[in-house]
Amino acid sequence: MASLRGDAIPTVNADEACALLSAAAHQYLDVRMWEDFDKGHVAGARNVPYYLSVTPHGKEKNPQFVEQVAALYPKDQHLIVGCRSGIRSKLATADLVSAGFKNVRNLQGGYLSLLRSTNQHHHPAAA
């Protein structure tokens, strides 16, 4: 199901993520900023922003990201990590793996791919 890419980031595609979430086998960790999360997110998702701000001058990474995730989930929790398009969540997944989280997977293509998948297959995972 999940594949290990050459860069060792465990990844799932949108269809795999929908199946895992529907079976309640995984929790969804949304790493977008709060205002994006509030506009729409996966049902039951928890939000821990990877970036605190994104401006023309750069991105400010959340220095407490790993600690905040660890406060919500044990390190053996099965998590799907998603953002808008899959770039931020890949970085977040790498940080979590480095911090000792054993069952995290990046959502390839992010929330946008999940929305496309749910629209095509009518999965209840995205709200």
Side-chain angles (χ1 to χ4, degrees):
M1 204 177 260
S3 57
L4 275 176
R5 306 276 183 231
D7 55 4
I9 302 297
T11 302
V12 292
N13 67 32
D15 289 340
E16 292 167 335
C18 285
L20 292 169
L21 293 167
S22 294
H26 286 66
Q27 297 292 315
Y28 190 89
L29 175 64
D30 193 315
V31 298
R32 296 176 298 160
M33 292 190 294
W34 296 291
E35 57 269 21
D36 296 323
F37 180 81
D38 288 344
K39 291 176 188 173
H41 55 268
V42 172
R46 306 288 289 273
N47 180 228
V48 178
Y50 188 72
Y51 291 125
L52 297 177
S53 68
V54 177
T55 68
H57 304 292
K59 299 171 183 168
E60 180 188 356
K61 185 178 170 188
N62 178 355
Q64 304 297 312
F65 174 74
V66 170
E67 291 82 1
Q68 289 172 352
V69 174
L72 293 173
Y73 301 109
K75 290 190 174 183
D76 61 350
Q77 175 73 49
H78 290 267
L79 294 174
I80 294 173
V81 182
C83 62
R84 182 177 176 273
S85 63
I87 296 169
R88 225 175 327 183
S89 58
K90 185 175 181 181
L91 297 171
T93 301
D95 283 3
L96 293 171
V97 168
S98 293
F101 282 81
K102 297 175 183 6
N103 299 304
V104 293
R105 293 178 170 92
N106 174 52
L107 174 58
Q108 183 179 12
Y111 183 63
L112 294 177
S113 70
L114 200 62
L115 287 177
R116 283 191 296 271
S117 177
T118 57
N119 287 338
Q120 289 172 356
H121 302 294
H122 306 293
H123 289 290

